[in-house]
Amino acid sequence: MLGIKEENISIHKIYELLYEAYGPQNWWPADSVEEMMVGAVLVQNTAWTNVEKSLEALESFSPSYIRNVEHEELIRCIRTSGFYMQKARTLKNLMSWFQKYNDDILIARTKDERIIRSELLELKGIGYETADCMMVYALEKPYFIIDAYTRRIFERLNIPLHYNYLKAQAYIQDNLEVDVQIFNEFHALLVKHGKKHCMKKPRCISCPLGKYCYYYQSQEESIAFI
DNA sequence: CGCCAGGGCCATA
DNA sequence: TATGGCCATGGC
């Protein structure tokens, strides 16, 4: 790998360029908050195409259904998403927690978001990233989501994020306006961009961040990747 | 066939 | 605090 980028870029500028390139993403890709929360668990370290199969197999996303369905049946439905033993248990944990708010996201949104977040983090199977996805896309509270794509993209823009999740998140939130709509769109754009241009194996086709990015040099030609 | 995907938990030092 | 092993399927 060879660092040959032309100039530095602000975090807000990254957002602007991605938005310009890809437009609004209208995340989370789900028809209900319940489906969003289920999807957030199932997508942990898993390709979304696998999650889609699971979402289709599930009879319902309603909290009561998830709570009451037989464990074996739940596992059968979500099998294609991998890690199904852990994820089945996590979904049960999550929906049991949701009952505390009468299975009503509108009620949960009126509560102190710091308490909601710490409650989510107490659930086995839900870590910082999954919790913050729910904070943004279900609770509509501004927590910048740090995922593998974010780290990879920022690193290739010469903005390496601290390996510690909370420190990485604090860095972003100190250098970008704290706004749930922006965090919502930004994360979706980073995933969109990451899948297209910033896989582990470099791809490089008309990258909208090209001139701010490191360049990858193969044997003959040097190729912009990100 | 091996690598990877929109992580998280747990044991270990 | 911070690594490493493990969980598991499907696409390429």
Side-chain angles (χ1 to χ4, degrees):
Chain A
M1 189 185 303
L2 206 53
I4 318 178
K5 78 184 170 49
E6 295 181 7
E7 48 185 304
N8 290 315
I9 181 172
S10 72
I11 294 179
H12 190 85
K13 183 71 174 177
I14 298 171
Y15 172 75
E16 286 183 351
L17 288 177
L18 293 180
Y19 190 89
E20 220 173 284
Y22 304 111
Q25 300 300 301
N26 301 311
W27 264 33
W28 185 281
D31 293 326
S32 68
V33 172
E34 293 79 8
E35 181 180 359
M36 180 273 145
M37 295 196 291
V38 171
V41 170
L42 295 181
V43 79
Q44 291 172 350
N45 201 44
T46 299
W48 183 253
T49 51
N50 288 15
V51 176
E52 287 179 318
K53 299 176 199 298
S54 299
L55 294 176
E56 287 175 16
L58 279 166
E59 195 174 308
S60 163
F61 306 118
S62 83
S64 58
Y65 170 77
I66 301 288
R67 281 194 294 270
N68 297 326
V69 67
E70 288 294 324
H71 194 69
E72 311 308 322
E73 170 64 10
L74 181 56
I75 285 174
R76 271 195 291 278
C77 294
I78 69 171
R79 190 184 62 82
T80 58
S81 294
F83 308 126
Y84 46 78
M85 296 296 284
Q86 309 171 34
K87 287 175 178 176
R89 189 164 47 107
T90 302
L91 289 176
K92 294 271 190 182
N93 290 341
L94 176 65
M95 293 314 185
S96 294
W97 163 80
F98 200 30
Q99 198 166 24
K100 179 174 183 177
Y101 299 98
N102 199 25
D103 296 338
D104 188 343
I105 196 65
L106 294 180
I107 293 177
R109 282 175 190 162
T110 67
K111 306 299 181 185
D112 184 340
E113 61 262 35
R114 292 167 299 181
I115 294 186
I116 299 285
R117 185 170 184 259
S118 60
E119 286 175 349
L120 287 172
L121 289 171
E122 284 174 13
L123 302 176
K124 221 176 285 287
I126 296 188
Y128 289 121
E129 184 181 335
T130 307
D132 285 340
C133 280
M134 293 182 191
M135 293 310 292
V136 170
Y137 297 105
L139 281 299
E140 302 181 346
K141 301 293 190 277
Y143 287 86
F144 192 91
I145 300 155
I146 306 290
D147 71 336
Y149 281 132
T150 304
R151 292 180 183 283
R152 196 179 305 151
I153 292 169
F154 275 60
E155 181 181 1
R156 294 179 191 184
L157 292 169
N158 199 28
I159 310 174
L161 298 173
H162 198 285
Y163 55 80
N164 180 294
Y165 184 97
L166 294 177
K167 290 184 179 177
Q169 181 180 58
Y171 175 77
I172 301 284
Q173 295 184 176
D174 285 345
N175 290 279
L176 179 68
E177 57 266 49
V178 176
D179 180 314
V180 66
Q181 290 303 331
I182 292 191
F183 288 3
N184 175 322
E185 199 60 55
F186 207 163
H187 176 66
L189 287 166
L190 286 167
V191 172
K192 172 82 170 186
H193 180 70
K195 286 180 176 176
K196 191 174 177 65
H197 291 289
C198 204
M199 309 295 285
K200 282 193 174 177
K201 293 180 181 174
R203 294 186 191 178
C204 25
I205 312 151
S206 60
C207 173
L209 300 179
K211 73 171 180 174
Y212 299 99
C213 180
Y214 280 104
Y215 287 74
Y216 172 78
Q217 192 169 56
S218 61
Q219 276 97 9
E220 267 84 64
E221 58 203 23
S222 75
I223 306 172
F225 75 96
I226 187 168

